[in-house]
Amino acid sequence: MKTTGAAALITAVVTAFMWLLLRAESQPSIAVLIALAVAAGVVAARSRSLARVRAGAPERVVQGFAFAAVVVLALLLRGDDFSLLLMTRVLIVILACLGLNVQFGYAGVVNFAGASFFGVGGYTAALLCTSTRLPHLLILLCGGAAAALVGTVLLLPVLRTRGHYAALITIAFALLFRTFLEVNDTLGGPQGLKLRELVVGPFHFNDAIELGAFEGSFYLRYLALALVVLTIFFGLVLRLERSWIGITLDAVRLDEIAAATFGLEIARWKITAFTLGNFIIGVAGALSAFMIGFIAPNNYAFAESLILVSILLLGGVGNPWGLALATAIVILLPEKLQVIQEYRFLLFAAMVILILLFRPAGLVPRPPRRLEPGG
Amino acid sequence: MTALLSCRGLTRTFGGLVALDALDVEVAEGWVLGLIGPNGSGKTTFFNVLTGLFPASAGQIRFENAEITDLKPQGVYRIGIARTFQRSRLCLPLSVFDNLMVGNHRNLNHGLWFNLVRRQALRRQVEENVAAARELLTIFHAPLAARLFEPAGGIPMIDRRRVEVCRALISRPKLLLLDEPSAGMTHEETLQLMDDILRVQRKLGLTIILIEHEMSVIERITSHCMVLNYGRKIAEGTYAQVSRNLLVRQAYLGLE
Ligand SMILES: Nc1ncnc2c1ncn2[C@@H]1O[C@H](COP(=O)(O)OP(=O)(O)OP(=O)(O)O)[C@@H](O)[C@H]1O
Ligand SMILES: [Mg+2]
C-alpha cells in the first residue's frame, strides 16, 4: 500500500516534469530541466529508492500508472501538435524496441536490421492501404506478419552462424534492404510512397478533434492508438518473460549446451523469438508509416537500426521499462536541445560506450524474474 | 540381466586421439556404477557421447532396448537420461528455480497460447513446480529451499553443485549421469551429498553412473565399478574386485 502511494507520487512528478520539458522552448530552461532530471536520476539510483518502490509495487499498478501518465500528459498538451507527435514517436519506437528485446534481450539473437523490419511494416501498410480495402487495423497486423515473413530469409544464416557473423549478416541485410527500396520502382524508388489517411471504424485520424468544448490536435488519435497497441504488446512481452517460455529463451541465450542437454530445441526457440520480435517491429513500422503519411528509403537507413540497438543497450537489455526510459531520452533529447541535434549520433555512441563501461546492465537493469506465487 | 543401457564398441576419436576405444558397457536397472580412471582417460567423453553432445565415431548405444546412438542431446533427455557437468553449467543470472525448471523442460507446457493467455493454468503449473522444487532441494540442503528465487550466481559453490544435481533429478530421469558432482567440496560435504543422492536414488529407483575421483566415495556408494584408461575399459566388477586388480593399481592408484 505504501509503495503504491510512492509509485503514484513518482508518476505524478515524472508527468509534471515531462509536461514542463515538452512545453519548454527556451534552450537554457530546457538545459536546466535536463540537468535536474539527470541529478534526480543519479540520486534515485544511488539511494536505490526507485528500485525499492519498483520492486514493491505490483506490475499491474505500475503499468496502470504509466498508462494514466501518458493519457494525462496528452490531454494537457492537447493542442500542441509537435509535442504530441514526439510522444507518439516515443511510443512507437518503444514498441519496436520491445521486438528487439524479445530477440536479443531474451533469446540472444542479434538483429542489426531493426529499421529494415520497421520498413517492411511501413511499406506493407503503404501498399495495402492504397491497393486494397482491408480494414486499417488489420493492415497493422499485416505489417507485422510481413516483417515476420521477410525475417525468415535471415533465419538460416542467423541459426547457422554465431556471434559476430550473425551480426554481420543482419547488417548486410539492412544495407541491401535500403538499396532494394531505392531501386524498386513499384515501391516508389527514392521518393517512396504515400499512405491513405488512417481510418478505424468511425474515426478519421487526420481530422481535428472537436467534442463540444474540447478541442484537440488530430495527433491525439494517433497517440491513443499507439498507446493501446503498445499497452497490449507490452503486457504480452512481460507475460512472455514471466512464463516457461521466458525461462527457456533465457537458457537458450545463456548456455546452448546445457539447454540442449535438457531438451530445449535451440533452433525452434531462436526462430520463435526472432519471428515474434520482427512481428512486433513490423506493427510498429506500419503504425509509424500511417502517422507520418509517407515513407521513403531514407527513413530506414542502417543508422536507425543502430539507434534501436543503442536504446536497448542504454535502457537495460531484457527490461521493457528500461528501454521505455531510454527511448524517451534518445528521441526527446535531440529534439528539445537543438545544440545536440547535429551531434546526436556522436552523443548516442558516447552514451552507449559510457553505459557499457560503467553500468553494463543498462540504466534500469533487468530485475529477476518474478514467477513465484504472488509475484 | 536385462541391461538398461548397453554400449557396444563405442568409440570416439578427436583427430588422431582415441578418447574412447571400443568400449563395451552394460548397466542394469538400479545400479550405481562408479566410473573411474586417471585424468584424460575418457570418462567425460563417455558422458558426452552418451548424451549426444559428441556423435560416436563408431559403435552403438542402446537404452531400454532401443538404439539411441544417433539421438541429439534433446532426444536423449526426452527418453529419460539427464546429467550434470564436470564444470558447473548453471545459468548464473537466473534464479535457482529457473535453473531447475530448465531441467524439468520435458514436463512443462511450452505452448504460446498456454503461456501468454491461459495464465491461471500456468500459475497452477508454476505452483506445483515450486512445491516440487522446494521438496527436492530440502532433501539436499533444507536452507537452500528458502533461496529458491535468488540468482544461482549468488549462492555458494557447494549449493550450486547441489542445484545442478537437482536440475538433473527434477525431471525424474531413468538414468542419471553425474560428472564429479562433488568437485570442490570437503570430504564431509561430499559424503553428505552422496548420501542424499543415494536416498533419492532408492526412492525413485534411479540408475546412476557416477564419475568420482575419491575412492572412499566410490567404495561407499557404488554397486559396481568400471575403470577406464586411455579410453579403454581395463577392469570392471564390484569395488572390491576392481581394487584388487593389478592393472588398476598400476594405472590409477599409482601403486607398484
Ligand atoms: N572436445 C574435445 N576436443 C579434443 N579433444 C578432447 C575433447 N574432449 C576431450 N578431449 C580429449 O579426450 C581425452 C579424454 O578426455 P576426457 O575429458 O573424457 O577425460 P576425463 O577422463 O573426463 O578426465 P578428467 O578426469 O580430467 O575429467 C583427453 O585427452 C582430452 O584431451
Ligand atoms: Mg572429466
Side-chain angles (χ1 to χ4, degrees):
Chain A
M1 212 53 232
K2 229 172 99 188
T3 47
T4 304
L9 188 68
I10 292 169
T11 311
V13 171
V14 172
T15 311
F17 169 81
M18 290 303 290
W19 181 72
L20 285 174
L21 181 68
L22 285 166
R23 297 290 304 167
E25 289 194 347
S26 87
Q27 293 295 303
S29 57
I30 290 172
V32 167
L33 279 172
I34 289 171
L36 270 176
V38 171
V42 170
V43 170
R46 277 281 153 80
S47 66
R48 318 202 83 262
S49 50
L50 215 59
R52 260 201 309 275
V53 172
R54 180 68 191 78
E59 182 63 39
R60 263 162 205 264
V61 171
V62 177
Q63 277 179 49
F65 282 163
F67 187 93
V70 176
V71 171
V72 168
L73 206 52
L75 291 178
L76 287 174
L77 296 164
R78 61 188 171 276
D80 183 347
D81 284 349
F82 183 63
S83 293
L84 291 173
L85 169 67
L86 275 186
M87 280 177 68
T88 314
R89 250 182 70 201
V90 170
L91 297 179
I92 290 174
V93 173
I94 293 175
L95 182 59
C97 287
L98 275 181
L100 270 192
N101 186 53
V102 172
Q103 300 174 333
F104 181 63
Y106 298 160
V109 178
V110 286
N111 181 0
F112 280 98
S116 308
F117 293 109
F118 198 74
V120 174
Y123 272 90
T124 306
L127 290 177
L128 288 180
C129 80
T130 46
S131 64
T132 70
R133 301 172 59 85
L134 286 177
H136 287 175
L137 280 186
L138 192 62
I139 289 183
L140 291 185
L141 296 181
C142 291
L149 203 66
V150 171
T152 55
V153 172
L154 278 182
L155 277 182
L156 268 185
V158 164
L159 290 179
R160 285 221 176 133
T161 51
R162 291 165 156 268
H164 305 308
Y165 295 105
L168 282 177
I169 283 170
T170 60
I171 292 173
F173 174 80
L175 299 174
L176 276 176
F177 178 76
R178 162 105 192 268
T179 316
F180 168 77
L181 292 181
E182 272 176 347
V183 299
N184 191 315
D185 285 333
T186 43
L187 295 179
Q191 270 74 48
L193 296 172
K194 275 175 81 90
L195 283 89
R196 291 247 179 93
E197 178 187 18
L198 185 58
V199 180
V200 177
F203 302 113
H204 288 250
F205 275 55
N206 290 356
D207 294 348
I209 296 179
E210 278 176 58
L211 275 175
F214 181 90
E215 286 183 16
S217 155
F218 69 96
Y219 277 118
L220 276 175
R221 285 199 201 87
Y222 285 104
L223 186 140
L225 180 61
L227 183 59
V228 169
V229 173
L230 175 62
T231 306
I232 292 171
F233 280 104
F234 203 93
L236 282 178
V237 168
L238 285 178
R239 282 183 168 201
L240 186 77
E241 201 248 359
R242 281 162 210 194
S243 73
W244 299 136
I245 298 181
I247 296 179
T248 298
L249 295 180
D250 280 334
V252 165
R253 180 186 78 251
L254 291 166
D255 190 339
E256 282 189 23
I257 300 232
T261 307
F262 290 102
L264 283 68
E265 303 285 351
I266 308 294
R268 172 187 166 196
W269 292 111
K270 284 189 173 176
I271 291 173
T272 304
F274 194 62
T275 306
L276 268 179
N278 286 335
F279 180 85
I280 299 175
I281 299 172
V283 171
L287 196 52
S288 163
F290 270 119
M291 182 179 73
I292 300 169
F294 83 98
I295 50 176
N298 266 341
N299 307 9
Y300 309 113
F302 177 55
E304 302 301 324
S305 295
L306 284 182
I307 297 254
L308 295 180
V309 175
S310 23
I311 288 174
L312 213 60
L313 295 176
L314 209 58
V317 174
N319 184 359
W321 290 106
L323 66 88
L325 172 69
T327 307
I329 295 173
V330 164
I331 295 214
L332 297 183
L333 207 58
E335 292 293 347
K336 296 308 288 188
L337 259 190
Q338 269 128 31
V339 272
I340 290 177
Q341 187 64 272
E342 225 172 299
Y343 303 103
R344 62 194 185 114
F345 285 110
L346 193 67
L347 181 83
F348 296 154
M351 285 203 303
V352 168
I353 290 171
L354 286 177
I355 280 285
L356 289 180
L357 282 178
F358 297 109
R359 211 176 151 90
L363 289 174
V364 193
R366 177 177 173 183
R369 190 190 329 275
R370 291 205 273 180
L371 206 57
E372 69 260 52
Chain B
M1 180 185 87
T2 56
L4 178 69
L5 175 79
S6 81
C7 304
R8 289 265 162 276
L10 196 60
T11 303
R12 169 71 202 194
T13 55
F14 293 108
L17 180 90
V18 186
L20 274 188
D21 197 351
L23 198 63
D24 293 333
V25 186
E26 300 262 313
V27 183
E29 221 174 294
W31 278 20
V32 177
L33 174 69
L35 184 54
I36 54 182
N39 291 112
S41 58
K43 306 181 295 295
T44 299
T45 303
F46 176 54
F47 278 9
N48 287 342
V49 172
L50 215 86
T51 52
L53 285 177
F54 297 160
S57 311
Q60 59 157 293
I61 310 169
R62 296 179 71 81
F63 183 74
E64 293 190 306
N65 286 323
E67 163 105 34
I68 63 159
T69 319
D70 297 323
L71 283 191
K72 301 248 166 299
Q74 288 89 347
V76 175
Y77 166 78
R78 244 173 266 132
I79 58 169
I81 301 180
R83 69 174 290 182
T84 66
F85 294 90
Q86 185 169 359
R87 288 233 232 107
S88 175
R89 287 202 95 115
L90 288 178
C91 299
L92 296 182
L94 301 188
S95 70
V96 171
F97 179 70
D98 290 0
N99 275 286
L100 293 179
M101 288 307 106
V102 171
N104 205 21
H105 191 79
R106 67 180 176 146
N107 297 321
L108 304 176
N109 185 342
H110 284 88
L112 261 185
W113 185 259
F114 177 81
N115 278 272
L116 293 185
V117 183
R118 298 191 49 215
R119 296 296 278 187
Q120 274 318 104
L122 174 69
R123 185 166 296 254
R124 271 199 299 282
Q125 206 171 71
V126 168
E127 274 161 19
E128 286 161 18
N129 277 281
V130 168
R134 285 226 163 87
E135 193 184 337
L136 187 59
L137 286 176
T138 308
I139 295 179
F140 284 85
H141 190 57
L144 198 48
R147 307 182 76 171
L148 195 56
F149 291 101
E150 290 180 28
I155 63 175
M157 256 338 228
I158 301 167
D159 283 339
R160 284 190 217 167
R161 283 275 164 198
R162 293 177 172 129
V163 171
E164 234 188 315
V165 174
C166 290
R167 177 174 69 175
L169 271 173
I170 196 155
S171 66
R172 296 173 168 253
K174 295 178 189 125
L175 176 63
L176 177 66
L177 310 175
L178 299 170
D179 196 346
E180 297 191 34
S182 65
M185 293 189 175
T186 66
H187 187 67
E188 271 65 46
E189 286 162 349
T190 305
L191 291 182
Q192 167 97 63
L193 178 72
M194 295 301 165
D195 284 345
D196 296 337
I197 291 174
L198 269 190
R199 207 145 21 109
V200 177
Q201 186 253 343
R202 292 201 190 102
K203 202 168 120 193
L204 300 182
L206 266 178
T207 307
I208 295 180
I209 305 180
L210 168 72
I211 300 177
E212 173 61 56
H213 277 293
E214 211 175 312
M215 296 312 273
S216 60
V217 172
I218 293 286
E219 178 174 13
R220 197 165 131 153
I221 83 158
T222 62
S223 61
H224 297 76
C225 281
M226 177 169 87
V227 190
L228 291 187
N229 196 22
Y230 294 109
R232 290 222 175 127
K233 181 168 75 182
I234 58 169
E236 66 184 327
T238 63
Y239 176 79
Q241 291 165 342
V242 164
S243 60
R244 276 198 299 274
N245 186 310
L246 189 64
L247 273 175
V248 178
R249 293 160 75 92
Q250 281 172 347
Y252 190 56
L253 303 174
L255 305 175
E256 288 302 312

